[in-house]
């Protein structure tokens, strides 16, 4: 919930970020193109990030990023699309821009330091990145802008890093600052109203931008993501940065640099920040600090730094810090937007065939704007075992790397047999609906996962007309039996492997996951009994209603008899209500819990994978040790003929050790990232579902009020 | 294991509507529960000169009530009256047993959950207690508002005698005797059902009551089952809320409301229990009393006819004619008296029943609406907080 809360809270932080103008706007819009927007807006961020992370390592990168990649990649689209983005880009464009309002907005950011407060109020120069756009779209009153700008400024100063960065970044930023200085003036000259009036335009512009990005950058984006996933970025923040930056603007080379940097920096900086909560707390604090400091800082910056350069550097620095702060939220939004890019629904369960060979086929319809698919909408028919097959394939490929592969719903021999045999048994209908819904959720989870989405098998599953029949998914087939044995041996080895955990994070997380698993199981059982009790209640209510109806019929006082039969009707309705509520309990709540119990299993699996890879590394080390001892013995025994062979072996094992170590590290990083991602998704899911559940409860209560209120006059009419 | 040492509390509300006769007001202001004995304080306020003081209180136990009821039933004069049904024996077994179970299961629950369950059980216990007191009160009030029964000497002693009544508990033989009597009675009922009814009113009443009593019995059990199911659902809410609470500290604020939800749901259940089920239960007993009246009347009718036959026989044989005539006249008188007062009683019973139903149904509907509104506002608040976090 907290996480969710932070995302909600995000608007304030956003304004703070100074560099990107278009981004915030997009978010506020909640438009589907949000993702695209990200791409468009991020260049600045990317820059900021790169500089930020690079502070230790990168002296060259910033230049590269700033100078070449943006201009090369973005130059055209940006200039065409929106000028706001140009701000991030080299001075060339900015110089052109000043005339246009958007540019102005943008520029103010850089110039913020120099400008008087008025500017901040007018255009929210500081906020420019975010606020102008947001304001434009939301048509927010000026007041908002005013209130925010100050806060934003402090952002720059708040963190130490930015300050450090300043000095380093200045040279790099200079071009920008120069560019910005001009626009500044323009800004000042323009009245706030102009800004606002212009804003609609910017909106309009942003759209084309999105399209551009959508068309041109998807590949980039994908690559970037992939790179980010597999890449060096171990820490969430680092990853985020790298993903965003890559995705958004920079060329691949820039990407690699960034990611490299991010790795370096990630370890140093991000360690403290791993867990979501911590991060968020930090952010929250940061924002608070910002707001407190803002007036002072604002003034200070204004007074002291008249030259445009420092200001720009500040803004850049601030942007970087902001970017870091934002990353979480961005990630969240990114994810949610991913969903919008790809909508999957499963409909029309249909029985195919007869007797025991019958199966249910489901219509899987996909709606997407992703260019990786051949068309925007397509449907295929899949059967349950296809889903299982997909899972097998995915887990084979990805789970060993530490990915959390969403598990499909379990096979249910009983349920399916009922469906096969039964005619129109309501319970079999319920079963099919339940399975349909859980398959849908399963598939949505798969495509929600950025790296699983890239898997050719997923694409094939969604797109290809005919899939080869999935094998090995039969519940009790030989393969299933083998799998069971494998699992058993795994469990044994798990117990025997004593891993001395080097990373506290993993230890804690694993414990967390395990206790959560237990809790969820308990909760599941309780909710289950709630469902059955409610069903019982509904049955009892129905029986009571009937009995009251009988009583009413034999009552000789007409009014009372009438009231009693009304009561019977009322109870009948209430029975319906209870039944519906029981259904809601089940579908909204129980299924959610069941899903997450399964998912937690997968999370544990990823932890196990990490342990396995650690084990492999340790084994290799022991072997290496043995080889070395053997060599020493040979040396001592003076057997030169075998010595060479031993040396070769040592070299070979040394290679293996480093390879395994690297692998272990890679898996660890992936697991960490995946767990963070999973937690975020979980929080969102739970929030959504619980709200939905409560709403269903609310509805039934309201219905109840209506029923009883209708009954009340009847009761009063008894005389 | 927790033992309810004692519970003292105040009472209100009556589930049966009674005449407002100010000359004799009876209530049970408090009661004390010690182990399985419940001591009721019976408080009387009166303007009647029969009593020595205008206001007095006496301690009474459940058995005293039963004694009073039994003496009333056995009094010949009251054969034509509907004797108010005796209050049922206080039953604290079920909450106590539950408490015991809870104590055993303490280890499997979180502390919070346990406390909640305990509170819930205590509330249930209190409710049972309250109900017990109430039925006893209602019994006395019915007696006091009855024109004939309120003059009963035993009743007055019951109210006034400030020492322990030390009613002799029924011994095993008597218990068996009572059981045997019941058997005879039901067999007799079957036998005399063959006797032709002379009065349409009673004929109708009889069929109606027979029909009604089976149906109301049915409804009562169904209602009981329903309220129990409701209670279960409410209990489940406790567990859900407790686990949700422990799952995530952050979700606390929003999900605490779940607990309230459970409370509301629990209250719905107990109110339903109180208003509807109690009503039905009471009338199950009351109808039984009315049926008893009918039985007594039918018995009298049968006696009357038998005496008629005996008289005919005696006349035929011209032997003991005077005695038979006397007997026949007595039987006739008795029957007529029974019929007359029975008619009156049954009519008033009908009126009383309708009024009571009305009152309870209205109250129940109002309570249901209140509770539903409560939970609506709760849920709305809950959703609001959730959405904002």
């Amino acid at each position: 919930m907290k996480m969710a809360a932070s995302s909600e809270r995000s608007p304030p932080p956003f304004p703070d970020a100074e560099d990107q103008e278009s981004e915030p706007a997009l978010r506020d819009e909640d438009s589907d193109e949000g993702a695209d927007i990200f791409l468009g807006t991020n260049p600045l961020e990317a820059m900021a990030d790169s500089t930020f992370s690079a502070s230790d390592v990168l002296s060259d990168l910033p230049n590269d990023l700033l100078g070449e990649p943006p201009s090369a990649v973005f130059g055209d689209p940006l200039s065409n699309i929106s000028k706001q983005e140009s701000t991030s880009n080299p001075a060339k464009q900015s110089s052109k821009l000043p005339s246009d309002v958007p540019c102005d907005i943008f520029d103010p950011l850089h110039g913020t330091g120099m400008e008087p407060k008025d500017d901040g109020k007018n255009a929210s120069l500081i906020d420019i990145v975010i606020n102008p756009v947001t304001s434009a779209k939301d048509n927010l009153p000026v007041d908002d802008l005013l209130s925010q700008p100050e806060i934003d400024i402090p952002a720059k100063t708040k963190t130490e890093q930015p300050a450090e960065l300043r000095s380093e970044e200045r040279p790099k930023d200079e071009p920008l600052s120069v560019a910005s200085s001009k626009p500044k003036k323009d800004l000042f000259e323009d009245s706030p109203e102009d800004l606002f009036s212009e804003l609609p335009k910017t909106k309009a512009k942003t759209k084309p931008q999105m399209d551009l990005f959508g068309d041109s950058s998807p590949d980039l984006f994908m690559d970037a993501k992939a790179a980010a996933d597999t890449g060096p970025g171990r820490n969430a923040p680092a990853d985020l940065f790298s993903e965003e930056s890559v995705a958004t603007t920079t060329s691949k080379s820039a990407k690699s640099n960034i990611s490299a940097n991010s790795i370096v920096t990630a370890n140093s900086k991000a360690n403290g920040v791993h867990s979501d909560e911590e991060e968020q707390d930090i952010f929250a604090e940061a924002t608070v600090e910002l707001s407190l400091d803002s007036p002072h800082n604002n003034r200070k910056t204004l007074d002291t730094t008249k030259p445009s350069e420092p200001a720009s550097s500040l803004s850049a620095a601030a942007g970087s810090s902001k970017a870091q702060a934002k990353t979480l939220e961005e990630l969240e939004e990114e994810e949610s937007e991913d969903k919008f890019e790809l909508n999957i629904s499963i409909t029309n369960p249909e029985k195919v065939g007869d007797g025991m060979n019958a199966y249910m086929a489901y219509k899987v319809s996909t709606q997407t704007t992703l260019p990786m698919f051949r068309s925007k909408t397509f449907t295929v028919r899949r059967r349950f075992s296809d889903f299982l097959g997909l899972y097998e394939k995915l887990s084979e490929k990805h789970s060993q790397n530490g990915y959390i592969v969403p598990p499909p719903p379990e096979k249910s021999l009983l349920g399916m047999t009922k469906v096969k045999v039964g005619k129109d048994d309501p319970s079999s209908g319920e079963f099919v609906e339940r399975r349909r819904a859980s398959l849908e959720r399963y598939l949505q989870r798969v495509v929600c996962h950025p790296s699983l989405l890239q898997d050719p098998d997923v694409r094939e599953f969604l797109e290809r007309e005919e899939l080869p029949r999935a094998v090995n998914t039969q519940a009790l087939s030989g393969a299933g039996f083998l799998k069971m044995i494998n699992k058993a041996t795994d469990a044994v080895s798990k117990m025997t492997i004593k891993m001395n955990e080097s990373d506290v994070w993993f230890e804690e997380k694993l414990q967390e996951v395990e206790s959560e698993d237990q809790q969820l199981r308990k909760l599941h059982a309780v909710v289950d009994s709630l469902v059955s009790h409610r069903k019982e209640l509904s049955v009892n209510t129905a029986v009571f209603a009937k009995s009251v109806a009988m009583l009413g019929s034999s009552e000789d006082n007409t009014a009372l008899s009438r009231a009693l039969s009304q009561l019977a009707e009322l109870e009948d309705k209430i029975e319906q209500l209870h039944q519906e509520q029981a259904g809601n309990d089940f579908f909204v709540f129980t299924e959610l819990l069941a899903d997450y119990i399964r998912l937690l299993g997968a999370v544990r699996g990823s932890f196990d994978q990490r342990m396995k890879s650690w084990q492999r590394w340790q084994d290799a080390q022991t072997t290496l040790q043995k080889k070395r001892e053997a060599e020493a013995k040979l040396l001592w025994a003076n057997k030169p003929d075998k010595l060479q062979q031993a040396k070769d072996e040592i070299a070979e094992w040394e290679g293996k050790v480093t390879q395994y170590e690297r692998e272990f590290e890679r898996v660890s990083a992936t697991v960490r990232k995946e767990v963070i991602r999973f937690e975020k998704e979980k929080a969102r899911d739970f929030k959504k579902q619980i709200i939905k559940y409560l709403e269903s409860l609310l509805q039934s209560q309201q219905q109840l009020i209506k029923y009883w209120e209708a009954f009340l006059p009847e009761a009063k009419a008894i005389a | 294991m927790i033992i309810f040492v004692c519970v003292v509390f105040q009472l209100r509300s009556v589930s049966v509507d009674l005449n407002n006769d100010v000359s004799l007001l009876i209530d049970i202001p408090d009661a004390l529960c010690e182990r399985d004995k419940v001591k009721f304080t019976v408080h009387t306020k009166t303007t009647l000169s029969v009593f020595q003081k205008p206001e007095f209180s006496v301690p009474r136990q459940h058995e005293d009530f039963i004694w009073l009821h039994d003496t009333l039933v056995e009094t010949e004069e009251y054969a034509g009256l509907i004797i108010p049904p005796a209050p049922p024996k206080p039953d604290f077994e079920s909450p106590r047993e539950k408490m015991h179970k809870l104590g055993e299961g303490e280890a499997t629950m979180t502390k919070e959950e346990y406390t909640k369950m305990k509170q819930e059980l205590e509330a249930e216990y209190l409710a049972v207690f309250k109900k017990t007191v109430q039925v006893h009160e209602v019994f006395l009030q019915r007696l006091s508002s009855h024109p004939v029964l309120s003059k009963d000497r035993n009743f007055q002693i019951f109210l006034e005698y400030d020492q322990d009544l030390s009613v002799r508990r029924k011994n095993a033989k008597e218990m068996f005797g009572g059981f045997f009597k019941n058997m005879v009675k039901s067999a007799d009922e079957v036998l005399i059902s063959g006797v032709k009814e002379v009065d349409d009113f009673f004929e109708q009443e009889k069929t109606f009551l027979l029909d009604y009593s089976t149906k109301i019995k049915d409804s009562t059990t169904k209602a009981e089952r329903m309220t129990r199911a409701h209670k279960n659902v409410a209990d489940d809410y406790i567990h859900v809320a407790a686990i949700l609470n422990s799952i995530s500290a952050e979700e606390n604020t929003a999900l605490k409301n779940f607990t309230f939800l459970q409370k509301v749901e629990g209250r719905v259940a107990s109110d339903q229990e109180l208003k509807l089920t109690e009503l039905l239960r009471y009338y199950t007993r009351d109808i039984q009393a009315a049926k008893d009246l009918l039985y007594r009347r039918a018995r009298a009718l049968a006696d009357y006819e038998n005496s008629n036959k005996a008289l005919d026989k005696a006349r035929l044989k011209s032997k003991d004619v005077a005695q038979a005539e006397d007997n026949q006249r007595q039987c006739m008188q008795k029957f007529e008296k029974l019929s007359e007062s029975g008619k009156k009683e049954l009519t008033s019973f009908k009126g009383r029943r309708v009024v009571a139903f009305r009152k309870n149904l209205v109250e129940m509907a109002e309570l249901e609406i209140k509770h539903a509104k409560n939970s609506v506002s709760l849920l709305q608040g809950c959703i609001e907080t959730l959405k904002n976090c």
Side-chain angles (χ1 to χ4, degrees):
Chain A
M1 287 301 121
K2 228 188 202 170
M3 285 161 46
S6 74
S7 73
E8 298 268 16
R9 253 186 263 128
S10 60
F14 281 133
D16 303 349
E18 291 104 20
D19 302 51
Q20 314 93 346
E21 294 143 356
S22 56
E23 224 190 329
L26 294 171
R27 286 173 190 173
D28 290 357
E29 272 186 336
D30 279 343
S31 65
D32 300 346
E33 305 106 308
D36 295 341
I37 294 161
F38 275 121
L39 303 179
T41 54
N42 286 337
L44 292 171
E45 259 188 19
M47 283 170 53
D49 299 336
S50 65
T51 55
F52 164 62
S53 59
S55 60
D56 304 326
V57 193
L58 302 181
S59 54
D60 304 328
L61 289 173
N63 290 332
D64 293 342
L65 286 173
L66 295 172
E68 290 176 18
S71 62
V73 182
F74 280 68
D76 300 334
L78 290 173
S79 60
N80 295 339
I81 303 158
S82 67
K83 283 138 194 202
Q84 312 141 345
E85 300 196 339
S86 65
T87 57
S88 62
N89 295 329
K92 300 179 220 163
Q93 296 174 352
S94 65
S95 64
K96 291 179 202 164
L97 299 172
S99 59
D100 298 330
V101 178
C103 307
D104 295 347
I105 296 165
F106 158 145
D107 295 335
L109 295 174
H110 295 275
T112 49
M114 309 173 61
E115 298 150 8
K117 294 163 194 171
D118 321 352
D119 299 342
K121 292 168 191 168
N122 296 338
S124 68
L125 302 173
I126 307 156
D127 297 341
I128 303 166
V129 185
I130 300 161
N131 290 337
V133 187
T134 57
S135 63
K137 296 186 176 173
D138 296 344
N139 296 327
L140 295 173
V142 183
D143 311 358
D144 294 344
L145 286 174
L146 295 175
S147 63
Q148 292 170 350
E150 287 187 348
I151 299 168
D152 302 342
I153 296 172
K156 302 165 191 172
T157 55
K158 80 168 179 197
T159 46
E160 299 173 1
Q161 295 158 353
E164 293 172 4
L165 291 173
R166 275 183 227 161
S167 60
E168 290 175 13
E169 286 166 5
R170 257 177 228 171
K172 302 159 196 170
D173 295 342
E174 273 179 352
L176 288 174
S177 64
V178 173
S180 63
S181 65
K182 280 183 191 173
K184 247 191 283 170
K185 291 173 188 172
D186 293 335
L187 272 174
F188 291 165
E189 286 160 13
D190 293 335
S191 65
E193 295 146 30
D194 291 342
L195 279 173
F196 284 113
S197 61
E198 297 281 359
L199 290 172
K201 274 187 191 173
T202 61
K203 220 198 215 172
K205 285 170 185 175
T206 54
K207 275 188 185 172
Q209 190 193 338
M210 298 161 192
D211 293 343
L212 265 174
F213 283 113
D215 299 333
S216 62
S217 58
D219 294 342
L220 262 181
F221 178 49
M222 303 290 165
D223 295 342
K225 265 194 183 168
D229 294 337
T230 57
R234 301 274 143 95
N235 303 317
D239 291 336
L240 290 173
F241 295 150
S242 63
E243 275 181 28
E244 286 163 13
S245 60
V246 176
T248 54
T249 61
T250 53
S251 64
K252 287 181 184 176
S253 63
K255 228 194 298 170
S256 60
N257 289 338
I258 293 168
S259 56
N261 299 328
S262 65
I263 301 167
V264 176
T265 56
N267 293 334
S268 61
K269 289 181 188 168
N271 280 337
V273 201
H274 293 318
S275 69
D276 306 324
E277 291 100 359
E278 282 173 22
E279 274 175 304
Q280 285 173 343
D281 290 345
I282 293 169
F283 297 154
E285 283 168 26
T287 53
V288 173
E289 277 174 34
L290 289 174
S291 61
L292 288 174
D293 296 342
S294 63
H296 299 289
N297 293 332
N298 225 342
R299 252 168 253 158
K300 249 190 235 165
T301 52
L302 293 174
D303 296 338
T304 56
T305 63
K306 285 247 162 158
S308 58
E309 301 149 42
S312 64
S313 67
L314 272 178
S315 63
S320 67
S321 64
K322 275 287 134 78
Q324 186 195 7
K326 263 189 277 166
T327 45
L328 267 179
E329 291 131 24
E330 275 163 18
L331 180 70
E332 273 175 24
E333 265 148 56
E334 218 179 347
E335 278 166 13
S336 61
E337 274 143 22
D338 282 348
K339 269 183 199 155
F340 289 124
E341 280 171 16
L342 190 65
N343 268 323
I344 290 187
S345 57
I346 295 180
T347 49
N348 296 2
E350 216 175 71
K351 197 166 151 185
V352 178
D354 276 316
M356 281 321 277
N357 285 325
Y359 63 89
M360 297 298 298
Y362 304 86
K363 200 165 116 190
V364 179
S365 342
T366 315
Q367 244 190 334
T368 181
T369 54
L370 289 180
M372 61 184 253
F373 295 102
R374 279 190 294 252
S375 55
K376 290 216 183 297
T377 53
F378 40 87
T379 38
V380 287
R381 289 205 80 82
R382 295 282 177 262
R383 53 181 294 182
F384 183 64
S385 53
D386 294 334
F387 287 87
L388 293 187
L390 175 66
Y391 169 71
E392 295 291 329
K393 281 185 206 155
L394 289 177
S395 82
E396 214 171 280
K397 265 187 277 186
H398 296 284
S399 67
Q400 64 187 17
N401 291 326
Y403 285 108
I404 299 171
V405 182
E410 277 109 9
K411 276 213 136 172
S412 163
L413 268 186
L414 183 70
M416 203 48 213
T417 315
K418 258 191 197 162
V419 172
K420 280 171 180 168
V421 177
K423 318 283 173 293
D424 284 324
D425 187 4
S427 76
S428 81
E430 197 177 281
F431 168 78
V432 169
E433 166 55 22
R434 183 181 160 195
R435 171 163 279 183
R436 184 205 64 75
S438 59
L439 284 176
E440 191 175 270
R441 287 195 305 272
Y442 159 67
L443 217 52
Q444 273 162 356
R445 281 204 180 93
V446 169
V447 299
C448 241
H449 195 296
S451 33
L452 290 183
L453 179 57
Q454 301 310 313
D455 194 285
D457 280 327
V458 175
R459 225 178 301 182
E460 195 177 61
F461 182 86
L462 294 176
E463 264 186 329
R464 219 170 115 178
E465 272 310 318
E466 290 294 322
L467 267 192
R469 178 93 166 79
V471 284
N472 290 349
T473 63
Q474 303 304 340
L476 285 172
S477 64
F481 188 63
L482 269 184
K483 238 188 282 166
M484 269 166 58
I485 292 181
N486 273 341
K487 270 188 190 152
T489 53
D490 270 5
V492 171
S493 69
K494 219 193 290 175
M495 282 184 345
T496 52
I497 297 178
K498 274 277 177 288
M499 181 170 182
N500 42 355
E501 185 57 81
S502 52
D503 196 332
V504 190
W505 188 86
F506 283 102
E507 208 169 354
E508 281 172 0
K509 266 286 170 280
L510 185 59
Q511 259 171 13
E512 243 174 63
V513 167
E514 260 161 21
S515 76
E516 200 177 350
D517 185 49
Q518 266 182 358
Q519 295 276 24
L520 280 188
R521 270 170 209 280
K522 238 174 151 187
L523 185 57
H524 186 255
V526 174
V527 176
D528 237 14
S529 87
L530 176 67
V531 172
S532 66
H533 278 147
R534 217 195 281 277
K535 277 185 185 154
E536 212 176 277
L537 175 60
S538 114
V539 170
N540 282 331
T541 312
V543 173
F544 176 67
K546 231 174 260 159
S547 163
V548 168
M550 297 284 287
L551 187 66
S553 74
S554 64
E555 172 65 55
D556 59 354
N557 180 303
T558 25
L560 182 53
S561 159
R562 195 179 131 79
L564 284 177
S565 54
Q566 290 285 341
L567 180 64
E569 256 170 56
L570 169 78
E571 294 289 350
D572 254 340
K573 281 188 210 149
I574 291 176
E575 181 251 321
Q576 281 296 320
L577 220 63
H578 285 318
Q579 209 167 4
E580 275 163 33
Q581 192 51 50
N584 274 328
D585 284 349
F586 184 75
F587 276 110
V588 181
F589 211 0
T590 320
E591 288 288 83
L592 171 78
L593 294 173
D595 274 8
Y596 271 92
I597 289 170
R598 274 201 299 272
L599 274 167
L600 280 176
V603 173
R604 285 224 287 228
S606 78
F607 277 101
D608 291 347
Q609 288 299 338
R610 179 171 168 273
M611 197 150 79
K612 264 191 208 155
S613 103
W614 181 83
Q615 184 65 23
R616 204 161 44 215
W617 172 34
Q618 295 302 310
D619 286 349
Q621 252 175 351
T622 345
T623 325
L624 179 61
Q625 196 59 35
K626 273 186 199 142
K627 298 280 178 210
R628 283 206 173 118
E629 275 163 21
E631 188 206 13
K633 263 183 209 157
L634 286 175
L635 216 55
W636 191 69
N638 202 9
K639 285 182 184 166
D641 47 331
K642 284 186 185 169
L643 201 60
Q644 189 52 44
Q645 195 197 338
K647 275 198 171 123
D648 287 348
E649 273 178 356
I650 287 174
E652 185 197 333
W653 279 99
E654 270 171 351
K656 273 188 189 163
V657 167
T658 31
Q659 188 203 331
Y660 288 152
E661 186 180 358
R662 230 179 270 143
E663 244 168 52
F664 169 66
E665 243 141 53
R666 191 168 47 82
V667 172
S668 299
T670 318
V671 170
R672 189 187 289 245
K673 210 188 90 188
E674 287 279 293
V675 169
I676 288 172
R677 188 182 168 280
F678 166 77
E679 281 177 345
K680 233 169 271 157
E681 213 154 81
K682 188 183 70 191
R684 209 177 40 217
D685 248 23
F686 264 85
K687 186 182 161 189
K688 203 177 93 200
Q689 291 290 351
I690 287 185
I691 287 181
K692 202 169 149 199
Y693 177 64
L694 290 180
E695 270 165 357
S696 77
L697 278 179
L698 181 66
Q699 237 184 348
S700 64
Q701 289 295 335
Q702 275 163 345
Q703 208 54 45
L704 209 60
I705 293 181
K706 258 190 230 156
Y707 290 159
W708 280 107
E709 273 173 352
F711 175 71
L712 195 54
E714 290 292 338
K716 283 188 173 154
I718 305 171
Chain B
M1 157 94 185
I2 294 93
I3 301 164
F4 309 102
V5 183
C6 69
V7 187
V8 179
F9 82 117
Q10 304 286 316
L11 272 194
R12 25 111 240 143
S13 127
V14 188
S15 75
V16 184
D17 213 40
L18 300 160
N19 310 340
N20 291 324
D21 184 2
V22 268
S23 63
L24 185 59
L25 289 176
I26 301 169
D27 64 336
I28 301 182
D30 60 25
L32 198 68
C33 176
E34 282 171 347
R35 300 263 158 184
D36 27 354
K37 270 186 203 156
V38 184
K39 281 189 178 161
F40 304 93
T41 309
V42 179
H43 173 252
T44 316
K45 215 175 159 181
T46 180
T47 54
L48 298 180
S49 54
V50 202
F51 299 99
Q52 281 159 1
K53 280 183 275 176
E55 195 170 347
F56 41 85
S57 298
V58 289
R60 291 289 175 263
Q61 292 186 23
H62 172 72
E63 283 74 15
D64 303 332
F65 285 82
I66 298 298
W67 165 81
L68 181 60
H69 177 257
D70 288 349
T71 36
L72 291 178
V73 169
E74 279 155 20
T75 312
E76 266 300 290
E77 296 166 47
Y78 304 147
L81 305 177
I82 296 179
I83 311 287
K89 194 171 163 20
D91 179 21
F92 297 116
E93 269 321 294
S94 89
R96 221 176 248 151
E97 207 171 288
K98 271 195 198 162
M99 202 51 141
H100 187 67
K101 253 189 224 154
L102 182 68
E104 279 172 346
E106 188 178 351
T108 63
M109 274 180 273
T110 62
K111 207 174 161 224
E112 204 178 338
E113 214 174 338
Y114 177 74
T115 340
K116 288 248 181 56
M117 288 301 281
K118 212 181 110 192
Q119 281 171 358
E120 204 47 41
L121 271 184
E122 278 162 0
E124 193 184 324
Y125 177 78
L126 259 187
V128 172
F129 189 77
K130 232 170 159 172
K131 255 182 344 205
T132 311
V133 174
Q134 204 177 308
V135 285
H136 285 81
E137 195 183 46
V138 164
F139 172 67
L140 294 181
Q141 284 170 343
R142 283 266 319 258
L143 289 179
S144 77
S145 64
H146 196 282
V148 181
L149 293 177
S150 63
K151 310 269 177 343
D152 182 71
R153 189 63 206 139
N154 282 324
F155 178 51
Q156 285 166 357
I157 291 172
F158 177 91
L159 292 178
E160 203 173 18
Y161 185 62
D162 61 351
Q163 300 299 303
D164 200 343
L165 276 182
S166 67
V167 186
R168 195 172 51 88
R169 307 278 174 270
K170 280 183 181 168
N171 59 29
K173 196 179 154 201
E174 274 173 324
M175 291 284 273
F176 182 75
F179 178 69
F180 185 69
K181 228 163 78 187
N182 268 342
M183 292 277 288
V184 171
K185 196 185 110 190
S186 37
D188 203 27
E189 235 168 305
V190 177
L191 281 179
I192 54 179
S193 65
V195 179
K196 203 177 167 322
E197 183 57 73
V198 286
D199 191 331
D200 270 355
F201 173 80
F202 284 101
E203 181 64 41
Q204 267 174 21
E205 246 351 84
K206 198 170 99 181
T207 43
F208 165 71
L209 279 178
L210 279 178
D211 183 35
Y212 204 72
S213 91
T214 46
K215 281 178 183 155
I216 204 168
K217 245 186 226 160
D218 181 58
S219 295
T220 311
T221 46
K222 301 290 153 57
E224 264 166 27
R225 230 178 278 160
M226 186 173 76
T227 40
R228 215 178 307 130
H230 221 125
K231 196 103 196 109
N232 282 338
V233 171
D235 282 352
D236 284 333
Y237 275 131
I238 300 183
H239 296 291
V240 171
I243 297 179
L244 276 178
N245 257 346
S246 64
I247 274 185
S248 156
E250 289 115 60
E251 282 163 340
N252 252 1
T253 43
L255 296 175
K256 264 197 188 118
N257 291 339
F258 244 96
T259 325
F260 296 124
L261 208 61
Q262 162 267 317
K263 272 197 194 135
V264 174
E265 200 77 25
R267 246 177 269 144
V268 171
S270 66
D271 279 338
Q272 241 175 25
E273 164 89 10
L274 198 67
K275 293 291 164 201
L276 186 63
T277 320
E278 266 313 290
L279 171 80
L280 291 172
R281 234 179 255 151
Y282 188 80
Y283 275 93
T284 316
R285 290 199 307 272
D286 214 8
I287 282 172
Q288 191 55 47
K291 268 167 73 188
D292 284 349
L293 168 70
L294 279 184
Y295 161 71
R296 285 193 297 264
R297 189 187 153 275
R299 180 75 260 172
L301 178 61
D303 286 348
Y304 173 50
E305 286 192 348
N306 284 343
S307 67
N308 272 344
K309 274 180 209 152
L311 180 61
D312 288 348
K313 233 190 223 164
R315 278 196 184 130
L316 215 63
K317 288 181 186 164
S318 328
K319 200 169 80 183
D320 296 335
V321 176
Q323 195 193 344
E325 260 178 354
D326 197 35
N327 192 16
Q328 188 254 3
R329 203 172 43 248
Q330 259 179 25
C331 281
M332 191 185 72
Q333 267 170 3
K334 188 183 164 199
F335 171 71
E336 270 164 7
K337 204 180 116 208
L338 263 180
S339 293
E340 193 193 339
S341 72
K343 207 179 240 175
K344 227 165 46 197
E345 283 284 295
L346 285 173
T347 324
S348 88
F349 164 77
K350 248 188 204 164
R352 209 170 52 229
R353 197 190 65 229
V354 171
V355 172
F357 263 92
R358 175 178 191 274
K359 183 173 168 250
N360 279 280
L361 285 179
V362 169
E363 274 176 8
M364 188 174 74
E366 274 164 358
L367 279 171
E368 288 270 3
I369 291 169
K370 196 184 100 197
H371 291 316
K373 277 187 177 153
N374 263 349
S375 40
V376 162
S377 69
L378 235 135
L379 284 167
Q380 268 164 349
C382 205
I383 291 171
E384 212 50 39
T385 19
L386 259 180
K387 276 187 177 160
N388 288 334
C389 74

